[in-house]
Amino acid sequence: MVENGSLIRPGMKVALVPCPALGDTTLFLWLAWRLQAAGVEVSLYSTALISLRGYLPGLAILGSQYDLEELSRSNDLVICALKRFDEGSASEHSNVAYLASKKFSSDHPLARRQVFIRDNILPGGNNVICRDSRAGKTMAQWIDVYANEVLGLDVGSAPAGFQSLPASSEDAKRRIAIFPTSPNANKNYSPRGFRRLADKLVSKGWVIEFVGTVPEQAALQSLYPNYIVHAFVNLKGLVDYLRSCSVVISNDSGGGHIASLLGLHTFTITRRRVDFSWRPGFNSLNHVINPSITFKWLGRPIWRPFISHRRLIRGLPKW
């Protein structure tokens, strides 16, 4: 068996297959950059990232459709999100590894299945990203743990990141983008709370704009009639727009992760702990705003009235 550090070598081919969710996709993109820095030929299977090909030189960005047998045959290693796991087909391909967000059970087929790369065992190839949700690490830090301890990659410096981005606009420092929705409505801050926060920020000289998906845009515009509400048909439109911003305020959602990848200040409003693992963590400018108290009423958690706008405003950059 060869040590992990010597298993990943320049010229190797590695395919990455994330889940469609934007937060998961950003983690696999981060891992792709780590592999790329080691001289690996990386293909990343994500429909969402196709529009960003021009900003991701050297990475082969392909759609979400793939054939596992072909990937296994044409790559030295394939790393898939656990949700892509199919026991029937995965058992036949020894160079396919799976990553779960959190622990999978000890009786899961992957718990006893070894991963090989060029006929050498890759210890820990099947693994979890977040090994300890109480450790305080972000998911970006956890993916670096996997990259370093399992794949033997150097994670001592930031990866190259996006390239050839549009220039940041002259008024970017004044603009804050608010993402008031997420796929899980139960974890969203209230529209009224976001509206009050936006009004306070405007009174302090900030330019506030809202961002949602295309199907949400009309409803969001009615909720925030005094503000511009943006919606973009692809991720490139969103990235280009965020180049005109310096801060993103969001629920626990993909918008915060993209903003973090772009180096922006992020404020995540959530009822979870300030060090919860899924907070944006691709740079150090991340802040979590959680409630001062939480209680249950008729079985439902009550937390939204106890979000401190003052604490968020105090954390904003002082340009």
Side-chain angles (χ1 to χ4, degrees), residues 88-137:
S89 60
S91 60
E92 302 173 6
H93 309 297
S94 62
N95 66 337
V96 178
Y98 288 88
L99 279 179
S101 296
K102 297 181 180 180
K103 292 180 180 179
F104 46 81
S105 62
S106 58
D107 61 349
H108 193 282
L110 293 178
R112 55 183 180 273
R113 176 180 170 275
Q114 290 182 321
V115 178
F116 289 80
I117 179 169
R118 290 190 178 179
D119 298 322
N120 294 297
I121 294 175
L122 180 67
N126 293 318
N127 219 310
V128 295
I129 302 175
C130 179
R131 302 181 187 181
D132 179 2
S133 61
R134 296 283 177 177
K137 294 181 184 293

Side-chain angles (χ1 to χ4, degrees), residues 26-68:
T26 58
L27 289 178
F28 274 71
L29 176 57
W30 189 260
L31 180 58
W33 283 330
R34 291 296 191 201
L35 288 161
Q36 186 181 34
V40 173
E41 295 181 32
V42 184
S43 53
L44 184 52
Y45 287 77
S46 167
T47 300
L49 294 178
I50 286 178
S51 66
L52 294 179
R53 280 173 173 161
Y55 302 152
L56 300 170
L59 297 179
I61 307 298
L62 306 169
S64 297
Q65 299 299 317
Y66 64 94
D67 180 279
L68 189 60

Side-chain angles (χ1 to χ4, degrees), residues 14-257:
V14 176
L16 303 179
V17 186
C19 289
L22 188 52
D24 297 78
T25 299
T26 58
L27 289 178
F28 274 71
L29 176 57
W30 189 260
L31 180 58
W33 283 330
R34 291 296 191 201
L35 288 161
Q36 186 181 34
V40 173
E41 295 181 32
V42 184
S43 53
L44 184 52
Y45 287 77
S46 167
T47 300
L49 294 178
I50 286 178
S51 66
L52 294 179
R53 280 173 173 161
Y55 302 152
L56 300 170
L59 297 179
I61 307 298
L62 306 169
S64 297
Q65 299 299 317
Y66 64 94
D67 180 279
L68 189 60
E69 182 176 351
E70 172 59 27
L71 286 187
S72 175
R73 186 170 54 249
S74 58
N75 289 276
D76 296 290
L77 179 66
V78 181
I79 303 176
C80 299
L82 182 62
K83 291 181 181 179
R84 303 286 193 180
F85 178 68
D86 180 338
E87 185 175 0
S89 60
S91 60
E92 302 173 6
H93 309 297
S94 62
N95 66 337
V96 178
Y98 288 88
L99 279 179
S101 296
K102 297 181 180 180
K103 292 180 180 179
F104 46 81
S105 62
S106 58
D107 61 349
H108 193 282
L110 293 178
R112 55 183 180 273
R113 176 180 170 275
Q114 290 182 321
V115 178
F116 289 80
I117 179 169
R118 290 190 178 179
D119 298 322
N120 294 297
I121 294 175
L122 180 67
N126 293 318
N127 219 310
V128 295
I129 302 175
C130 179
R131 302 181 187 181
D132 179 2
S133 61
R134 296 283 177 177
K137 294 181 184 293
T138 67
M139 294 299 279
Q141 291 170 325
W142 280 122
I143 203 74
D144 271 351
V145 170
Y146 179 82
N148 179 247
E149 294 185 1
V150 176
L151 302 181
L153 304 178
D154 179 13
V155 297
S157 57
F162 293 114
Q163 303 295 309
S164 305
L165 289 169
S168 181
S169 66
E170 293 182 0
D171 61 347
K173 288 186 175 181
R174 298 179 56 237
R175 184 170 290 102
I176 296 176
I178 296 180
F179 291 72
T181 61
S182 79
N184 185 352
N186 291 329
K187 66 181 181 181
N188 291 352
Y189 189 42
S190 66
R192 180 173 179 270
F194 274 123
R195 189 164 52 245
R196 289 176 55 240
L197 173 61
D199 292 344
K200 291 177 183 178
L201 293 170
V202 167
S203 72
K204 295 183 178 296
W206 293 92
V207 175
I208 306 301
E209 296 172 354
F210 285 80
V211 182
T213 65
V214 172
E216 295 170 337
Q217 188 175 22
L220 290 177
Q221 191 65 76
S222 66
L223 286 172
Y224 309 105
N226 297 326
Y227 295 93
I228 294 173
V229 176
H230 296 279
F232 303 97
V233 296
N234 57 39
L235 208 50
K236 180 181 183 300
L238 175 60
V239 166
D240 290 351
Y241 165 71
L242 288 177
R243 293 292 289 167
S244 71
C245 304
S246 63
V247 178
V248 160
I249 299 172
S250 68
N251 300 296
D252 174 17
S253 63
H257 295 286

Side-chain angles (χ1 to χ4, degrees), residues 266-287:
T266 59
F267 291 80
T268 305
I269 298 179
T270 177
R271 70 182 180 95
R272 305 174 73 178
R273 304 189 323 271
V274 294
D275 63 348
F276 82 104
S277 299
W278 268 105
R279 66 194 187 275
F282 296 109
N283 67 53
S284 62
L285 307 176
N286 66 83
H287 311 264

